[in-house]
Amino acid sequence: MTAKTPLNPENAAAHFFGRNTAFEVTSFGQGNINDTWKLTVSQNGHPQPYLLQRLNHLVFRQPEQVMANISNVARHLMAKNYASGILHPCADAKGSILFCDEASNSWRVFPFFECTTTLETVENPGQALVASRAFGAFLEALADLDPASLHETIPGFHNSVARLAVFEEAVAKDVAGRLAGVREEVALVLKESALFQHIFNLKLPLRVVHNDAKIGNILLDEPAENAVAVIDWDTIMPGYLLSDLGDIARTMAASCSEDEADPAKVVFRMPVFKAICQGFLPPLRNILTAEERDALHLAPRWIILEQAMRFLGDYLAGDAYYKIRHPLHNLERARNQLALYQSALEQEEGVSACVRE
Ligand code: GN1
Ligand code: MG
């Protein structure tokens, strides 16, 4: 979903730092939903880096609730002396952490973490171990935060049963006239979709989770050896721990990023998944319930299939949700995720053995 109104990051920067302050704004990052800039502000003669973002208000309908959640999580982690990076939103002169411009765009600013990098895909199991341990420690630190204290900023975000109904509607309506070219992909999603109902029948405990635990949401130090911070806190809300493990596996065990256009290159890498389990699960050892433990092996397939369905559904809907960089982008992403799904399915026994260990 793209903004219908012109974006003016300079105006937002001036709002936060004062009309007479010198600053520089450059486009930054790869988000599929929000727009991001690096903002360098001259403060006391020194350049100070910040991250400026426009929240996509067509996706995040109540931006103030997103910011309330982020502040809540930041306070909680501060109080616990959480060891990794904490995202503290910056306030304007009046103390507000959200700025709504005349065109109804919502803007916020965070301090910038210098000398860090993000990955599109992990290069080796060691990086997966580090990144998934950071997600595990993050969830462990949030385990005593009451889920009811957070707003559900996107209702039913990982409710794949509800998402399946939306997908079936997109197939039935075929508004963009694209169904004829993707019947095979649609059939595969529908054939495997019983997994969604199965997951929801398990009645897993609702917890505070990240909900977008992809590799690109871990800041690493420059040699990409240590985790510096878990970032992108926009979707932190009540959800299922399994979906975070699923997104970690989806983006780290995959041999390629979700943007790889050739599905033949996409495989689910078992040695990397093994490292993911070794990183993610130990911090959560005392938290996991028996129901969660028994269902862990389903996490990768669940979230990979959900993501395939979301990309394919968006393609059928005429690319209404995700930013695309070329006309077939959503279709390519869907095919990529379906190849990953099939690779994970073929290695089901290995996946189960890894989570048991
Ligand atoms: C979106 O905007 P970004 O890149 O943080 C999406 C996630 C998807 C992801 C796929 C609010 O995340 O759910 O998994 O793209 N976020 C939203 O890369 O829909
Ligand atoms: Mg996100």
Side-chain angles (χ1 to χ4, degrees):
M1 278 185 201
T2 44
K4 301 269 180 296
T5 46
L7 298 179
N8 191 342
E10 287 80 13
N11 177 51
H15 171 87
F16 276 96
F17 293 96
R19 304 269 154 202
N20 297 324
T21 307
F23 56 77
E24 207 178 292
V25 184
T26 47
S27 188
F28 189 84
Q30 315 264 332
N32 291 326
I33 307 288
N34 297 329
D35 301 295
T36 307
W37 294 263
K38 184 175 181 185
L39 170 65
T40 308
V41 182
S42 171
Q43 288 175 320
N44 308 320
H46 297 289
Q48 202 58 44
Y50 293 91
L51 201 78
L52 171 67
Q53 275 186 319
R54 182 194 77 98
L55 264 172
N56 185 330
H57 57 276
L58 302 175
V59 170
F60 296 102
R61 297 275 171 176
Q62 276 154 317
E64 61 297 330
Q65 293 193 349
V66 173
M67 297 312 286
N69 282 357
I70 292 176
S71 300
N72 185 352
V73 168
R75 270 196 309 275
H76 181 82
L77 295 178
M78 273 288 279
K80 296 192 78 163
N81 293 323
Y82 172 69
S84 290
I86 298 180
L87 306 192
H88 292 287
C90 299
D92 66 12
K94 289 191 179 143
S96 174
I97 56 174
L98 198 64
F99 165 58
C100 188
D101 67 16
E102 296 98 74
S104 301
N105 289 303
S106 293
W107 301 84
R108 46 45 182 323
V109 173
F110 294 103
F112 190 89
F113 290 85
E114 290 273 45
C115 306
T116 58
T117 185
T118 54
L119 301 173
E120 288 267 308
T121 175
V122 299
E123 288 142 14
N124 53 59
Q127 281 174 339
L129 181 81
V130 161
S132 45
R133 186 190 287 141
F135 272 123
F138 188 74
L139 294 194
E140 194 273 330
L142 293 176
D144 57 342
L145 177 61
D146 181 4
S149 74
L150 292 171
H151 304 281
E152 198 183 355
T153 51
I154 302 180
F157 191 56
H158 279 300
N159 181 342
S160 317
V161 174
R163 285 191 181 276
L164 177 61
V166 172
F167 177 73
E168 286 173 326
E169 201 184 316
V171 172
K173 287 192 176 152
D174 189 22
V175 291
R178 294 172 169 178
L179 179 61
V182 296
R183 287 198 193 277
E184 218 176 287
E185 291 81 358
V186 168
L188 180 54
V189 169
L190 295 178
K191 175 171 159 271
E192 296 298 318
S193 64
L195 175 60
F196 298 147
Q197 193 60 56
H198 178 77
I199 297 271
F200 282 83
N201 290 346
L202 297 174
K203 300 263 177 287
L204 297 170
L206 267 186
R207 305 178 175 281
V208 176
V209 295
H210 186 281
N211 280 311
D212 191 12
K214 56 185 188 182
I215 180 63
N217 283 337
I218 289 284
L219 277 189
L220 297 162
D221 61 6
E222 292 251 73
E225 284 168 2
N226 301 293
V228 174
V230 172
I231 57 168
D232 185 1
W233 293 8
D234 292 336
T235 47
I236 298 183
M237 56 182 150
Y240 304 105
L241 190 140
L242 245 68
S243 81
D244 279 0
L245 175 60
D247 259 320
I248 290 170
R250 182 180 80 77
T251 56
M252 296 189 208
S255 53
C256 311
S257 92
E258 68 188 17
D259 286 322
E260 170 55 55
D262 181 2
K265 292 188 182 153
V266 183
V267 291
F268 189 87
R269 297 177 292 183
M270 279 312 293
V272 177
F273 184 64
K274 196 169 181 174
I276 288 171
C277 294
Q278 285 165 353
F280 184 70
L281 297 176
L284 301 167
R285 186 168 284 142
N286 300 324
I287 289 168
L288 286 168
T289 65
E291 291 73 25
E292 285 172 318
R293 241 176 253 276
D294 290 346
L296 286 173
H297 66 288
L298 297 172
R301 278 204 292 126
W302 169 28
I303 293 301
I304 297 167
L305 188 64
E306 184 193 83
Q307 192 65 62
M309 178 173 76
R310 291 178 66 190
F311 285 142
L312 189 56
D314 198 32
Y315 178 71
L316 286 169
D319 308 310
Y321 187 86
Y322 290 110
K323 286 187 198 171
I324 51 163
R325 288 187 286 278
H326 56 88
L328 296 182
H329 202 165
N330 270 322
L331 176 57
E332 286 176 4
R333 288 161 165 163
R335 288 182 171 149
N336 169 310
Q337 296 295 288
L338 287 173
L340 184 61
Y341 180 85
Q342 277 169 316
S343 176
L345 183 59
E346 280 158 19
Q347 301 178 78
E348 233 182 340
E349 278 173 27
V351 169
S352 296
C354 274
V355 297
R356 269 199 311 271
E357 277 171 29

